[in-house]
Amino acid sequence: MLFKKWKKQFITKGGWKTPKSLFRIFIILWALYVYCKSKGWLPKKSLKGEHVFITGGGSGLGRYMAMEFAKLGCKVTITDVNIAGLEETKQMIAQQVGLSAQVHSTRCDVSDSAQVKQAADLARDVFGAVTILVNNAGIVQGKSFLDASEGMMRKVMEVNTLSHLWTIREFLPDMIKLNRGHVVSIASVAGVVGCPGLAEYSASKFGAFGIDECLRLEIKKMGKNIKTTCICPYYINTGMFDGVKSKWFLPILDQHWVVNRIVNAVRQEESVVLMPWNANAFFVLRGILPTFVSDYLFKICGAFDQMDDFKGRTQQKQTLV
């Protein structure tokens, strides 16, 4: 009966041409597209032979992204301030991918533009022009405005935001010459909505989000075939946010699932990815609701208390979100 009714309305009488029906069809197709995209079911480009430069490759997401890119036949350069972590990453890639994996590592404090330039020159000497840049290094302090130290506030901004400017300025010229490339920015859900106890971290990720957006638009203005992807994940179980509390409808994300989603997003050439998918609601609600209403919703969702028992990592080093 339902099929006959649908056939009569949308086919026989041409009801699908009405604005309401067209809008419904658009919503259905859009939802199907988003679902397929999140599952990695869209057509994917090959990354074989690409030179991938990953900051913060000594642990967490950076380590496992390097491994996945190596599996896809990429030449991989990893940087970190943690030399032991870099060596461990290289050993893990050799074990998982084989001795044929092409991996280069170098120590680099990405907050220092001179060290970024040095690391970039070494990477080019080893594997040639970088065609995929992954700005991944990040740190967090996790304290309130009055308890946060000035030194760490500065360092968070330098590592999480300014470093993106230094790496992009290093590698973008080669991408422009080649008329191909991909810049990946690991931002955060905290880069689209704030949270008590994450002032400078959230500011730094808002900055990373803004840098990505401006870069994307500048590239389009130039008419170059260079892609950008901004990744905005919720809390991930890398250890960086140990102690954070989260509600069931926004669970702590598994780092291996996140890595797979990031690699698929690059291969599917997605522009902006919030994960999990329902995190998009925060972005939408903040834009359409009065501030006091969205603030109240964030409160009842537990956002006010998330950082109360935060521990994180004690080392003040570059690590991964």
Side-chain angles (χ1 to χ4, degrees):
M1 292 294 293
L2 287 174
F3 176 76
K4 288 183 178 179
K5 184 178 179 181
W6 176 84
K7 182 180 179 181
K8 182 178 180 181
Q9 180 179 356
F10 289 95
I11 299 178
T12 308
K13 293 186 177 181
W16 62 272
K17 296 180 181 179
T18 65
K20 184 184 289 186
S21 296
L22 288 173
F23 179 72
R24 287 174 178 170
I25 292 170
F26 169 79
I27 293 297
I28 292 170
L29 292 176
W30 176 80
L32 182 62
Y33 167 75
V34 170
Y35 180 77
C36 291
K37 183 170 63 173
S38 67
K39 291 292 185 179
W41 294 345
L42 298 184
K44 299 180 183 65
K45 66 181 180 182
S46 171
L47 301 182
K48 187 174 182 179
E50 302 289 350
H51 181 185
V52 185
F53 187 99
I54 304 174
T55 65
S59 62
L61 294 188
R63 167 173 292 170
Y64 293 106
M65 279 193 287
M67 193 176 297
E68 290 303 313
F69 282 121
K71 288 178 181 178
L72 291 170
C74 298
K75 296 170 285 187
V76 181
T77 295
I78 49 175
T79 72
D80 204 300
V81 294
N82 181 3
I83 297 176
L86 288 173
E87 288 303 313
E88 188 176 350
T89 299
K90 289 176 68 176
Q91 291 174 11
M92 290 176 67
I93 292 174
Q95 291 171 359
Q96 293 289 322
V97 183
L99 297 177
S100 61
Q102 300 183 74
V103 184
H104 165 69
S105 66
T106 182
R107 185 191 184 281
C108 177
D109 178 352
V110 293
S111 66
D112 184 338
S113 60
Q115 290 192 38
V116 170
K117 178 173 176 52
Q118 184 179 33
D121 288 339
L122 287 171
R124 283 188 284 259
D125 288 343
V126 175
F127 291 137
V130 169
T131 51
I132 300 177
L133 167 63
V134 184
N135 280 314
N136 170 76
I139 56 175
V140 61
Q141 182 172 194
K143 295 183 178 180
S144 67
F145 275 96
L146 299 181
D147 293 331
S149 73
E150 180 180 336
M152 271 300 290
M153 292 177 95
R154 290 181 182 275
K155 194 66 175 178
V156 167
M157 296 301 297
E158 290 170 352
V159 172
N160 296 4
T161 310
L162 291 179
S163 69
H164 291 217
L165 298 175
W166 312 149
T167 56
I168 290 169
R169 283 166 64 88
E170 272 299 321
F171 298 120
L172 187 60
D174 283 339
M175 294 182 187
I176 291 173
K177 288 179 184 178
L178 295 170
N179 194 31
R180 70 183 181 91
H182 205 130
V183 179
V184 183
S185 302
I186 307 298
S188 172
V189 168
V192 293
V193 291
C195 174
L198 284 177
E200 74 280 358
Y201 181 82
S202 188
S204 71
K205 294 300 185 178
F206 266 84
F209 189 93
I211 289 170
D212 168 84
E213 188 147 301
C214 291
L215 176 64
R216 183 178 73 247
L217 296 175
E218 283 196 19
I219 288 169
K220 287 185 176 180
K221 181 179 179 181
M222 288 187 287
K224 295 296 181 179
N225 184 35
I226 302 169
K227 308 301 179 182
T228 66
T229 298
C230 189
I231 303 293
C232 300
Y234 191 59
Y235 300 116
I236 310 171
N237 65 353
T238 60
M240 187 174 182
F241 281 97
D242 281 354
V244 163
K245 294 182 291 188
S246 183
K247 299 289 187 179
W248 63 269
F249 52 84
L250 275 177
I252 303 296
L253 301 175
D254 176 72
Q255 63 179 337
H256 299 292
W257 179 86
V258 172
V259 166
N260 183 65
R261 182 72 184 90
I262 292 171
V263 174
N264 280 339
V266 173
R267 297 188 66 194
Q268 293 175 162
E269 297 186 342
E270 301 175 51
S271 296
V272 180
V273 179
L274 272 74
M275 58 180 84
W277 66 271
N278 49 346
N280 287 276
F282 291 124
F283 191 71
V284 174
L285 291 176
R286 193 190 63 176
I288 64 176
L289 294 177
T291 302
F292 75 92
V293 176
S294 60
D295 286 351
Y296 178 72
L297 289 176
F298 293 157
K299 180 180 179 179
I300 63 177
C301 287
F304 283 19
D305 307 320
Q306 287 178 344
M307 295 294 292
D308 287 356
D309 299 320
F310 170 76
K311 298 181 182 66
R313 292 189 176 102
T314 56
Q315 304 96 325
Q316 293 182 9
K317 66 179 183 180
Q318 290 170 24
T319 183
L320 291 302
V321 293

